[in-house]
Amino acid sequence: MMRGGWQVRWLAGAVAGLMLAGSAVAREMRPSDLPVEVFAHRPVMSNVSLSPDGSHVAYLTPIGGRQHLVVRPVPLRDDQSPSILAPNDAEITGIHWPSNERLLLEVLGTEKVRAAMVGTSRSLPLRFSRVISVSRDMKDMKVLLDRRPKGYSFYLSDTPILNFVDAEHVLMAYPADTGPWPGVVKVNIVTGRHSQVQWPLPNVVSYIPDPTGGIRVAATYDDRRLELRYLSRAPGGPFREMRMQKLLSDEDAFTVLGFGRSGKDLFVASRHEGDRLAVYTYDIDTDTIGGKIADDPRYDVGAAMVRGGAVTAVTWTDDLPQRRWLDPAVQKMQEALDKAVPDSREIIIDTAADGSLLLTASHSLAAPTTYRLFDRRTGEYSFFGDTYPGIPQNLVSARRPVSFKARDGLEIPGYLTLPVGMPERNLPLIVMPHGGPMARDDGGFDILSQFLASRGYAVLQPNFRGSTGYGAAFQQAGERQWGGLMQDDVTDAAQWAVAQGYADPARMCIVGWSYGGYAALMATIKTPALFKCAIATAPVTNLIRLYREVGASSARNLYRGIFFGDDPDELRPISPFHNVEKVGAPVLLIHGDLDIQATVDHSKEMARALSRAGKPVEYVEIAGMDHSPLLTDQMVTVLKEWERFLARHIGR
């Protein structure tokens, strides 16, 4: 995999040559020489997108420790400077180009909400989302639908942007004054004026417009009955039930992804033909599933890229991101570009409206993500930017897809990262289970495992049962298995690494974030002699507390059914807080005081309980940090604490 300023010239549809002209590669530097700050900042480029006419690229970059919006011409001449927007205390999470002259920014903020709003005796941090319209030169800015949070009446948890109607209008979900459910409004992104398009539907969780902007499909959720209903209608007609799904009991998973360009067919993800999700067409008039569009024999295929209200590509992840375009010409170009760059997967992520310019992301098991531009007029495929230019290519640790059999014979996939320049035997090992737990690790560049490998540790990231993306049976095998089979898979991962000779059994620690932090703490209880230390960052520690917190969510019965069951007292044996006397290794707890997903009380209470029990524990609280760091300084603190603690217990 090559990183740097090289280009590919296309002649008669074939690759004519490659030119490597990158910056000088450091040859004497060791990975451990790289400072913590190199790994602590966000990618130098993220959320990269192309203007409709292909004249400008927008992306996020960390400046002074916080994400900034950058808009630069293509190509950037010596006499030009990019436009840069500095945020206040909100995080930019999405960038959209509704026109060549204007962008929409999705931002996420956190603030303490008065106790009266949330029914508690004190203020709690809550997240809220806003959409900002900004001119390309950053001189004109407007907050759209600005309204302070009112109780839990925020935007939907995902993007409030539903569709781009034209260059000046967008459809957005918007909470109503009369109840908790959102309706849909049409917003002028220049003036900020809006008009009602769809009044709120009871229990609605999402709206899906067609390419014309008509609200044709909606989804509602009944938490008491655990029923998800899709409603559909003809243009101008009433809603009718299209499909009902009984959650936790219906094996035929079904998700509406969006409309095709014609507005007649839907694209849906379904398991009706097997264990893995696949994408199909769906006839909205006859309520029948049609032909298969995309599937994978090992992985779920269940997401889509939507542009202009229409599905344009099907997306999924095997070891690396995959994308299948519905336009055969774009798909052919995707495959040709992929062949042009060795040892990587080239993914088209954006195109100019006339198809003349394509923006790609280059993913690899052995390099950070890079971005390139392909000009179809000249045949030039040129380097645009790197995500982590501060890490020389020869110091990047490649990720290896691995698998092992758990004690009950189930095959468990994962990823192994080994330190550069060290023998591949008897290494100090970090087992790092992912958060979620309904998530997964993949083979893409992972800055946390790179940091740990740079310090001389092997890193093993098991996708324990319950992880997503491997089919229904694998995910359902993790239901109600916190501290059970999910935990055993993490234990078996460590023992596999020892059996394979990668790990020194006397120098193993477990590190986790969120659910991974819970798994790290449970490892010190369930297998107290296996690991020499445990680091839990933003962990869940008290499952009875979590049971109550889940009970405050809009899907409490669903989450309780997947995770815990109906009796909180049954959670005591698998709750780290209630089993501190069994902890058999030193523990480091790190938590942000503005964490919403796992409140800081989880770590505070755990630290006090461990201290009372005479167990070795350190507690670090980071002011202003949510569940994950938004500022570089926050991540620097996290990584330095990891480095110090690990060096003390298993360092060389």
Side-chain angles (χ1 to χ4, degrees), residues 297-315:
R298 186 179 179 192
Y299 300 92
D300 284 328
V301 179
M305 183 175 177
V306 179
R307 291 288 186 271
V311 173
T312 57
V314 176
T315 68

Side-chain angles (χ1 to χ4, degrees), residues 1 102 129 296 318 325 345 388 404 418 459 476 507 546 595 610 642:
M1 178 62 196
R102 206 158 191 91
S129 60
D296 189 292
D318 43 38
W325 292 86
R345 181 171 292 162
Y388 285 95
F404 59 92
L418 300 178
V459 184
Q476 291 167 3
R507 292 189 296 163
L546 180 63
D595 195 334
L610 286 167
W642 284 18

Side-chain angles (χ1 to χ4, degrees), residues 45 48-59 70-83 97 136 352 356-359 371-375 377-378 380 382-385:
M45 286 186 176
V48 187
S49 60
L50 190 65
S51 65
D53 63 1
S55 65
H56 289 75
V57 173
Y59 57 90
V70 177
V71 178
R72 51 165 286 189
V74 177
L76 183 64
R77 302 193 306 267
D78 292 339
D79 61 342
Q80 293 176 310
S81 298
S83 300
W97 286 93
R136 194 181 68 194
S356 62
L357 193 66
L358 287 75
L359 174 67
Y371 296 96
R372 296 181 170 85
L373 290 168
F374 176 62
D375 191 327
R377 296 159 296 191
T378 65
E380 185 175 84
S382 58
F383 176 83
F384 181 75

Side-chain angles (χ1 to χ4, degrees), residues 344-652:
S344 76
R345 181 171 292 162
E346 304 297 298
I347 298 292
I348 298 172
I349 57 175
D350 218 345
T351 61
D354 64 0
S356 62
L357 193 66
L358 287 75
L359 174 67
T360 70
S362 182
H363 301 275
S364 170
L365 292 168
T369 301
T370 54
Y371 296 96
R372 296 181 170 85
L373 290 168
F374 176 62
D375 191 327
R376 298 178 70 176
R377 296 159 296 191
T378 65
E380 185 175 84
Y381 194 25
S382 58
F383 176 83
F384 181 75
D386 199 343
T387 50
Y388 285 95
I391 305 177
Q393 180 57 53
N394 65 322
L395 302 186
V396 175
S397 296
R399 290 167 69 73
R400 300 182 184 182
V402 298
S403 65
F404 59 92
K405 286 190 181 296
R407 63 192 67 183
D408 62 357
L410 184 65
E411 196 77 16
I412 305 297
Y415 295 90
L416 178 67
T417 306
L418 300 178
V420 172
M422 295 180 64
E424 296 185 358
R425 298 191 63 80
N426 295 318
L427 292 162
L429 175 72
I430 306 297
V431 177
M432 190 162 63
H434 62 71
M438 292 187 294
R440 61 163 289 206
D441 283 311
D442 58 43
F445 188 79
D446 179 67
I447 196 63
L448 295 181
S449 62
Q450 288 294 321
F451 169 70
L452 294 170
S454 77
R455 270 47 186 170
Y457 304 107
V459 184
L460 180 57
Q461 296 168 273
N463 280 325
F464 45 83
R465 71 192 72 198
S467 300
T468 56
Y470 296 101
F474 191 85
Q475 183 174 338
Q476 291 167 3
E479 291 182 3
R480 301 192 186 186
Q481 290 298 323
W482 286 50
L485 293 176
M486 294 164 72
Q487 191 70 38
D488 292 343
D489 291 345
V490 174
T491 300
D492 294 346
Q495 293 173 339
W496 171 86
V498 172
Q500 296 297 308
Y502 293 118
D504 179 349
R507 292 189 296 163
M508 297 196 300
C509 280
I510 182 167
V511 176
W513 204 303
S514 192
Y515 172 84
Y518 162 84
L521 294 172
M522 277 305 298
T524 70
I525 294 166
K526 197 167 183 178
T527 52
L530 185 62
F531 297 105
K532 299 304 177 184
C533 66
I535 299 176
T537 305
V540 169
T541 69
N542 184 336
L543 292 194
I544 295 178
R545 169 185 286 278
L546 180 63
Y547 187 91
R548 293 195 301 266
E549 292 170 347
V550 168
S553 76
S554 61
R556 60 187 181 277
N557 290 326
L558 175 62
Y559 291 139
R560 284 177 176 176
I562 293 173
F563 293 153
F564 304 131
D566 301 322
D567 186 355
D569 288 333
E570 292 182 356
L571 303 178
R572 289 181 180 273
I574 57 171
S575 176
F577 173 75
H578 296 96
N579 292 274
V580 292
E581 72 283 353
K582 298 178 183 178
V583 170
V587 170
L588 170 63
L589 296 163
I590 303 175
H591 223 118
D593 68 341
L594 291 185
D595 195 334
I596 293 173
Q597 287 173 243
T599 61
V600 69
D601 291 333
H602 279 277
S603 284
K604 283 184 173 179
E605 290 180 356
M606 188 70 184
R608 287 194 292 265
L610 286 167
S611 295
R612 287 195 299 268
K615 304 294 183 177
V617 59
E618 298 181 43
Y619 174 56
V620 177
E621 186 172 307
I622 302 178
M625 189 174 91
D626 197 342
H627 197 58
S628 298
L630 298 182
L631 304 179
T632 299
D633 286 348
Q634 295 170 348
M635 183 60 92
V636 168
T637 299
V638 171
L639 295 186
K640 284 186 174 180
E641 291 294 336
W642 284 18
E643 183 177 33
R644 174 191 60 80
F645 191 77
L646 292 170
R648 176 188 302 174
H649 294 286
I650 61 170
R652 289 171 291 175

